[in-house]
Amino acid sequence: MNERPVEVGVQPHLLAALREELGVTSAKDGCSPSGQSGCCTALVDRKVFVSNQISLGKVASKSITALESFDRAERDRFAALFAAARALQCGFPPGIFARVNALEETGVV
Ligand code: FES
């Protein structure tokens, strides 16, 4: 998790482990159990997933990245871009930032 190995107990999905055991609060529960909002987005081996739709068994031994591990300058850049576009909404930006980061890394944007 965010570049360090972790162990967690039994949880219904990755989001629960992130928030309730690992103190990762950037991923939010915006719509459980539907999986529509993207508020809980995290990167699993640099691919985008909504963390409330993926079991811990599927992420065992994988690299999980949440907004907390992004470089501070990158988080500030995303925040400035979204503020300039007046695209500020409570709960959604961390998931959107994670998705934009993944898209930039793949050259899509
Ligand atoms: S909380 Fe809405 S997709 Fe995960």
Side-chain angles (χ1 to χ4, degrees), residues 15 28-32 34-41 50-52:
L15 176 62
K28 310 266 189 288
D29 186 347
C31 68
S32 283
S34 73
Q36 300 291 313
S37 70
C39 292
C40 65
T41 299
V50 285
S51 61
N52 70 349

Side-chain angles (χ1 to χ4, degrees), residues 38-75:
C39 292
C40 65
T41 299
L43 305 179
V44 178
D45 282 346
R46 304 306 301 167
K47 293 184 179 142
V48 174
F49 284 88
V50 285
S51 61
N52 70 349
Q53 299 294 306
I54 189 164
S55 69
L56 292 180
K58 290 186 177 170
V59 300
S61 302
K62 300 204 181 228
S63 171
I64 312 297
T65 306
L67 188 64
E68 282 88 343
S69 71
F70 287 18
D71 179 75
R72 180 65 194 208
E74 185 175 30
R75 284 187 278 163

